[in-house]
Amino acid sequence: MPRWPLVFPLLLTVVTAQPAVQPQERDLLSRVRRLTVEGRRAGEGYWSPDGQRIVFQSEREPGNPFYQIYALDFSSGETTRISPGYGKTTCSFFRPGTDQILFASTHHDPRSRTFQQEELDFRASGKERRYSWDYDPEFEIYAYSEKGKSYTRLTNARGYDAEGSYSPDGQWIAFSSMRDAYNRALSPAEQKQLDVDPSFFAEIYIMRADGTGQRRLTNVNGYDGGPFFSPDGTRIVWRRFDESGLIANVWTMKLDGTDQRQVTDFGSMSWAPYIHPSGQYLLFASNKLGFENFEVFMVDVAGLKEPVRVTYADGFDGLPVPSPDGRRLAWTSTRGGGSAGQLYLADWNHEAALKILKAAPERKK
Amino acid sequence: MKKLLLVSLLVTAAALQAQTTVAPKTKAHVEFLASDRLEGREAGTPSERIAGDYIAAQLARAGAKPLPGHADMFVPFEFTAGSRDGGTRMNGSREGIQALSFSDDAEVSGAVVFAGYGLVVPESQNFGYDSYATLDVKDKIVLVLRYFPEDADQQARAVLARYADLRYKAQAARQRGAKALLVVTGPRSPNAGTLVPMTFDTAIAGSGIPAASITGEVANTLFASSPKPLRDIQQELDSGNPHVAGFELPGVTVNLATSVVRVKQTGRNVIAYLPATTPVAGVEKPWVVIGAHYDHLGRGDKGNSLASKEEVGGIHHGADDNASGTSAVLAMAQSLSTQPRRRNVVLALWSAEEIGLVGSNAFVTAPPVPIDQLAAYFNFDMVGRMQDNKLIVQATGTSPVWTRLLERANVAAGFDLVIQPDPYQPTDVASFNLASVPSLAFTTGAHVDYHKPSDTADKINYEDLDRIVDMAVSLARATEDTDPPPQFTKVDQPTSRGSLAGVRVTTGTIPDYATEVKGLLLSGVTGGGPAEQAGLMKGDVIVEIAGQSIANIYDYTYALELLKVDQPVKVIYMRAGQQRETQLTPGARR
């Protein structure tokens, strides 16, 4: 290069090794690579059971400012859209032993394209709003058959139904729903709450993979969401927000909703938990270190020890999902710059993780 | 013993095998091009020719051919290799005067008008500073102070600094009808009384006005009959008060004869191509260009070396800059030549990049293949020092297809890609962007040895350089086969960037280019420099300096304009998530 455009040549005199991320991160994560490049944002990547693919949400097609669902194939490098391409979608998951992928979508809503245009117009206007997740009550859970190329709707309740994931045997789906805000008469205070923040009403539900046998598992005010099964299929891990919507913690429970146990207690927003395939620890994200600085942490599944920090980068690092063989980690990060996340992948040092967790101090009470 | 022996034999065999399987494709090229024998490959020198001959031979070995209608792979171009004073005189004397490098050659006579700092802030800035507001300089010789008012408050300095470049001052004088511009470094400024160095300037022609700098002594003779000495006059101006006016120097007329010798030299681009393996009839835009510059700084005597005192005059090996990119292109040629392709692939190794992208500019100005027939351009500049798996890809904004192709290619390649849409980069990709060719530029970023003799072949990360080659080959192949060809998107040029003109201090900070954070992330500090003395170190993120908040590298540049030598300022920075504070005392820039 002839010169850096600004003052750099004058300043560039002596450099030692460049720390692109803080070195602590290398204890657990190596060969960090960026998986998604195309489009405005991408995230929430979940592995296929054979570890050969990742299904994720991304905004990357002109005309739709909302997430659609895509599957990336590691052997071919190809990315294919799974969702219909219109409406809003989120939270996908491979169904073990089948050709199915579930996700939540609003595409049945006849106003879908109108909403898309409205959002595009809003953006074009140059106005800005703080990021907030859109709890569109039209969100329903769908299963997509890759062979049949058909969508089967699994939920029908008014209110956001999303955040679904399959049990390891592929027979059950745990999900989060705000139907409680719509299927009964609300008190005036509740109605007000619904107008301000519908996620207050979100609870964890379970159903069979065909959508039958829907059953509620939690019954506490505040957003219960993001449920995933433990690798042995005996428990569900999820995050529970307090009524203020600012503090969240990771919990686990049995599939019938009993034996609810709190795993984390940072007094900050600790969420997006996922249990490592070894069953020994779980990974989650928390903004313990700064309201807008989310980092990935890990903790033993019982939460007896103090959680240990995993990522060391500015901005957002969250939604960690280990590969089925437990040797890689996919997560969503803004480390590439800007405020919109992209999907990242790294090799995961499981042995080091066990060692570090073993050495971690008892959790402060 | 036997068992042990067996084990060691096995180890040796394994090591040997490993060695043969990972023998880098790029290493031999880098080692040759960055060897002492190549003497830094300065454009227009014999060593540039040796490098060019080597490259042509390697391209031929890979099966590449001269472009249609060309007898060989060398495409020469003429450039200005530098300038020196050709005998500039004032009133017949060569004492204490020297042309500015952009000066016209002319002889003029006239009265001398002192125009303060010669600053004109455009009205659009709503600032109100015009050194010429009350002056008539038509057909006069204008004398101005170098730099900008020394004691102006920070806000004013921030504005004035932007218009203090001497080219800008010369333009302002010319537009007002002045016959010539004289510049003196004021007694209250850094470098007081000294001549302005004839910086390396590759402009083919002058700026339309004779311009020269004079020493403090010569200036004093001009001010001999004025009511106040120059020091006092400067002091009044230094407040930044826009109402301090210039004046005609009583009874002073001078005769000025300027002469700048611009040294013309010939450089050689080395350009070959791999013809498409199927007929290109019907293929839209049937050319893809892959390029890298192969020239470097020679012994670094043209003003763009960053050699330390001990290294000055040494061979600037340029292993990373840009034997690495050259080797990448040669390795790509080797690989691409064995594979089918629907488009012709041009392999272009540019010369005279270091002095202003001259070789690639020559190509786009007089393209040997129609420029609108180029489907894409890929540039490789400083790709040999990968750290932390980070590969920076620039100019992605030049076509909507790039992110998709990059995403796909990177699934196998597995880099921690850093995406920078901006094509206005200080490398040859800028030439192609301006010619509306969809482009990408690859780099692994700057480092401690940048533009120094110590940029040597032993420091190259060959394993990762080869990985870059593999990824680039897959991207090039995808582009060779893409139909329709990538569509060009114009990226607006960023406007709010700082310039060097007003920066006279050094802080000894080395920014990290690969990582985007809020603030200025340091990848290091200069040994013994102000930042090191302030206790700053690599990994720190500067978020505020001298009361200016720093969100990015441009804010930082801007803030630097406001700093003064030896005047301590407060620096607020983040270290390991903690906010800290220190005092930094800027030093003088050479």
Side-chain angles (χ1 to χ4, degrees):
Chain A
M1 305 201 169
R3 71 198 103 88
W4 293 93
L6 310 164
V7 287
F8 313 146
L10 309 159
L11 311 172
L12 263 165
T13 320
V14 175
V15 194
T16 45
Q18 285 184 1
V21 289
Q22 291 182 45
Q24 296 95 313
E25 196 172 281
R26 291 180 206 145
D27 296 345
L28 292 166
L29 300 173
S30 55
R31 222 161 76 79
V32 172
R33 54 221 112 133
R34 180 168 164 174
L35 261 189
T36 55
V37 180
E38 192 182 1
R40 194 176 151 110
R41 53 193 174 134
E44 288 216 43
Y46 299 99
W47 299 81
S48 64
D50 64 2
Q52 291 300 304
R53 295 203 288 164
I54 271 192
V55 65
F56 62 97
Q57 61 195 28
S58 176
E59 179 196 330
R60 53 173 58 196
E61 290 179 61
N64 191 345
F66 303 114
Y67 283 128
Q68 289 292 310
I69 304 299
Y70 301 84
L72 183 154
D73 187 317
F74 285 109
S75 51
S76 70
E78 294 294 335
T79 295
T80 38
R81 192 178 70 227
I82 299 301
S83 54
Y86 56 96
K88 309 166 190 170
T89 70
T90 186
C91 298
S92 50
F93 209 88
F94 283 100
R95 182 176 179 194
T98 72
D99 69 331
Q100 290 173 31
I101 297 170
L102 75 64
F103 59 91
S105 178
T106 66
H107 68 272
H108 50 267
D109 186 342
R111 300 167 296 172
S112 285
R113 287 197 168 81
T114 311
F115 288 150
Q116 287 170 210
Q117 194 53 50
E118 279 174 11
E119 175 64 17
L120 289 171
D121 292 347
F122 179 82
R123 281 187 190 173
S125 74
K127 285 180 225 154
E128 283 185 43
R129 62 175 154 238
R130 261 194 88 79
Y131 177 81
S132 69
W133 186 242
D134 181 358
Y135 301 107
D136 191 324
E138 292 294 333
F139 269 114
E140 301 294 350
I141 294 176
Y142 285 82
Y144 173 67
S145 159
E146 290 194 275
K147 287 195 192 106
K149 303 203 181 310
S150 59
Y151 300 98
T152 308
R153 181 164 163 175
L154 302 178
T155 57
N156 263 304
R158 175 147 179 86
Y160 171 94
D161 292 306
E163 306 176 13
S165 65
Y166 286 103
S167 59
D169 65 6
Q171 300 306 307
W172 297 92
I173 294 169
F175 64 103
S176 180
S177 176
M178 297 173 194
R179 59 185 63 180
D180 190 43
Y182 301 90
N183 60 13
R184 62 186 171 87
L186 298 183
S187 69
E190 283 178 326
Q191 186 58 50
K192 204 175 159 197
Q193 180 65 46
L194 178 63
D195 295 341
V196 174
D197 178 18
S199 75
F200 179 87
F201 297 94
E203 301 296 344
I204 304 296
Y205 291 73
I206 193 168
M207 64 182 171
R208 289 200 185 83
D210 63 2
T212 61
Q214 301 190 8
R215 201 150 58 82
R216 178 169 170 175
L217 302 184
T218 58
N219 204 342
V220 175
N221 283 343
Y223 188 0
D224 290 278
F228 296 100
F229 290 84
S230 63
D232 64 3
T234 61
R235 293 184 77 81
I236 285 169
V237 63
W238 88 103
R239 56 106 208 294
R240 168 171 285 164
F241 275 85
D242 70 357
E243 292 191 19
S244 75
L246 291 174
I247 308 291
N249 278 301
V250 175
W251 290 67
T252 68
M253 64 182 164
K254 287 187 179 163
L255 305 195
D256 60 3
T258 62
D259 192 26
Q260 298 192 356
R261 297 188 199 173
Q262 184 174 342
V263 180
T264 64
D265 191 16
F266 273 164
S268 63
M269 201 185 293
S270 300
W271 61 295
Y274 203 101
I275 301 177
H276 186 266
S278 67
Q280 294 185 270
Y281 54 93
L282 59 86
L283 294 125
F284 65 99
S286 180
N287 65 350
K288 180 193 181 193
L289 301 167
F291 191 72
E292 290 184 331
N293 179 25
F294 284 90
E295 301 289 357
V296 174
F297 290 80
M298 60 178 180
V299 66
D300 57 291
V301 281
L304 300 175
K305 300 289 193 78
E306 191 63 25
V308 177
R309 184 173 173 185
V310 170
T311 56
Y312 287 80
D314 278 0
F316 182 86
D317 286 279
L319 298 150
V321 185
S323 61
D325 67 1
R327 296 287 163 190
R328 287 177 289 171
L329 186 74
W331 79 105
T332 306
S333 177
T334 58
R335 58 183 59 206
S339 60
Q342 296 288 347
L343 212 51
Y344 281 76
L345 180 65
D347 293 347
W348 173 253
N349 191 337
H350 173 58
E351 286 72 26
L354 289 178
K355 225 167 120 185
I356 291 169
L357 282 166
K358 199 175 168 194
E362 297 286 308
R363 191 172 105 193
K364 289 172 218 125
K365 299 288 175 189
Chain B
M1 278 309 284
K2 214 172 174 180
K3 202 173 172 185
L4 238 175
L5 187 65
L6 183 66
V7 170
S8 70
L9 273 175
L10 281 174
V11 168
T12 316
L16 275 176
Q17 197 176 7
Q19 226 168 34
T20 47
T21 50
V22 301
K25 295 173 264 212
T26 45
K27 191 173 180 189
H29 300 316
V30 173
E31 286 180 342
F32 176 78
L33 293 168
S35 63
D36 281 355
R37 190 181 155 209
L38 272 284
E39 288 185 78
R41 310 183 304 279
E42 185 177 343
T45 66
S47 65
E48 180 231 51
R49 295 190 79 80
I50 297 172
D53 290 346
Y54 173 85
I55 290 163
Q58 295 302 321
L59 289 172
R61 249 187 72 192
K65 298 176 168 44
L67 289 176
H70 287 244
D72 59 30
M73 298 179 184
F74 303 109
V75 183
F77 57 90
E78 196 177 67
F79 65 99
T80 304
S83 51
R84 58 183 167 79
D85 190 279
T88 297
R89 292 159 198 271
M90 190 164 80
N91 298 334
S93 168
R94 292 186 64 172
E95 276 301 303
I97 183 161
Q98 181 175 282
L100 297 177
S101 54
F102 53 79
S103 173
D104 266 12
D105 287 358
E107 181 166 355
V108 296
S109 294
V112 178
V113 175
F114 174 67
Y117 276 95
L119 289 164
V120 180
V121 177
E123 278 175 31
S124 59
Q125 298 293 309
N126 284 325
F127 183 74
Y129 194 104
D130 181 351
S131 298
Y132 296 92
T134 59
L135 299 177
D136 176 12
V137 298
K138 187 156 170 46
D139 294 326
K140 310 258 171 75
I141 291 171
V142 170
L143 171 62
V144 301
L145 289 161
R146 192 178 171 188
Y147 305 130
F148 52 92
E150 294 291 334
D151 306 326
D153 64 46
Q154 223 169 59
Q155 213 179 351
R157 290 165 65 84
V159 176
L160 294 171
R162 298 203 177 282
Y163 303 96
D165 185 86
L166 288 177
R167 268 184 178 272
Y168 192 85
K169 289 187 182 183
Q171 189 194 2
R174 181 171 57 88
Q175 283 169 350
R176 281 158 187 77
K179 275 182 171 171
L181 177 76
L182 292 172
V183 177
V184 61
T185 311
R188 300 185 74 247
S189 296
N191 303 313
T194 62
L195 293 173
V196 178
M198 287 191 77
T199 53
F200 185 63
D201 194 315
T202 51
I204 301 288
S207 55
I209 185 169
S213 71
I214 55 175
T215 58
E217 290 94 65
V218 171
N220 286 340
T221 63
L222 299 179
F223 279 91
S225 55
S226 78
K228 283 187 223 168
L230 180 55
R231 171 176 290 276
D232 295 357
I233 296 166
Q234 186 186 6
Q235 185 158 7
E236 284 173 34
L237 285 160
D238 277 348
S239 68
N241 178 354
H243 301 295
V244 179
F247 52 91
E248 187 162 333
L249 295 179
V252 178
T253 61
V254 299
N255 171 271
L256 178 68
T258 52
S259 171
V260 176
V261 178
R262 295 189 174 84
V263 186
K264 292 275 198 294
Q265 283 186 348
T266 302
R268 297 194 307 178
N269 289 332
V270 186
I271 305 177
Y273 85 121
L274 299 166
T277 53
T278 52
V280 296
V283 177
E284 202 184 329
K285 300 196 177 188
W287 298 86
V288 170
V289 183
I290 297 169
H293 76 89
Y294 71 96
D295 68 304
H296 193 52
L297 308 180
R299 288 182 178 267
D301 51 5
K302 293 295 197 305
N304 45 7
S305 166
L306 295 170
S308 65
K309 271 192 203 122
E310 298 74 40
E311 304 169 307
V312 162
I315 294 172
H316 286 55
H317 296 88
D320 186 35
D321 187 9
N322 184 26
S324 67
T326 304
S327 306
V329 173
L330 294 177
M332 286 179 74
Q334 193 76 50
S335 176
L336 290 169
S337 67
T338 63
Q339 296 166 339
R341 55 193 167 270
R342 290 182 63 233
R343 287 188 167 86
N344 304 307
V345 176
V346 176
L347 305 149
L349 288 309
W350 316 116
S351 187
E353 187 265 3
E354 297 287 7
I355 54 174
L357 321 181
V358 183
S360 57
N361 252 315
F363 180 93
V364 300
T365 310
V369 296
I371 201 84
D372 61 2
Q373 294 301 298
L374 305 189
Y377 174 68
F378 297 111
N379 192 70
F380 299 84
D381 195 354
M382 297 176 66
V383 283
R385 299 283 285 251
M386 179 171 288
Q387 292 195 41
D388 293 330
N389 202 30
K390 271 191 199 291
L391 177 61
I392 305 167
V393 188
Q394 302 166 323
T396 57
T398 56
S399 175
V401 306
W402 290 140
T403 52
R404 181 164 53 83
L405 293 180
L406 280 166
E407 179 173 294
R408 195 163 60 190
N410 195 48
V411 171
F415 291 112
D416 187 1
L417 294 181
V418 178
I419 303 294
Q420 298 178 348
D422 185 357
Y424 299 92
Q425 302 291 344
T427 180
D428 295 304
V429 79
S431 304
F432 285 83
N433 172 59
L434 291 175
S436 301
V437 178
S439 305
L440 286 177
F442 296 83
T443 182
T444 50
H447 46 77
V448 59
D449 302 304
Y450 174 69
H451 278 201
K452 294 164 85 174
S454 53
D455 178 7
T456 49
D458 57 307
K459 293 174 184 145
I460 297 298
N461 175 348
Y462 293 103
E463 198 183 316
D464 286 331
L465 175 53
D466 280 9
R467 286 177 62 216
I468 295 170
V469 169
D470 291 344
M471 184 206 196
V473 164
S474 96
L475 254 180
R477 293 200 63 202
T479 310
E480 286 162 20
D481 296 340
T482 297
D483 229 350
Q487 181 196 338
F488 178 75
T489 326
K490 190 172 165 27
V491 178
D492 288 334
Q493 189 157 12
T495 49
S496 61
R497 294 188 168 174
S499 79
L500 261 179
V503 180
R504 301 179 308 189
V505 303
T506 175
T507 54
T509 50
I510 302 155
D512 183 315
Y513 308 95
T515 313
E516 286 191 36
V517 300
K518 202 168 177 194
L520 183 85
L521 173 63
L522 301 184
S523 73
V525 292
T526 306
E532 187 180 85
Q533 284 168 25
L536 292 168
M537 53 191 254
K538 66 174 180 178
D540 290 347
V541 178
I542 295 178
V543 293
E544 189 185 307
I545 185 164
Q548 303 278 312
S549 72
I550 309 294
N552 53 45
I553 208 119
Y554 305 116
D555 289 350
Y556 188 66
T557 315
Y558 184 74
L560 284 190
E561 291 176 350
L562 312 176
L563 305 189
K564 300 182 84 173
V565 174
D566 295 335
Q567 210 170 87
V569 290
K570 186 167 86 175
V571 175
I572 298 176
Y573 63 101
M574 305 296 293
R575 178 178 293 171
Q578 303 271 317
Q579 182 167 314
R580 299 175 183 224
E581 197 180 304
T582 183
Q583 292 272 326
L584 181 145
T585 308
R589 190 181 119 188
R590 268 191 298 162

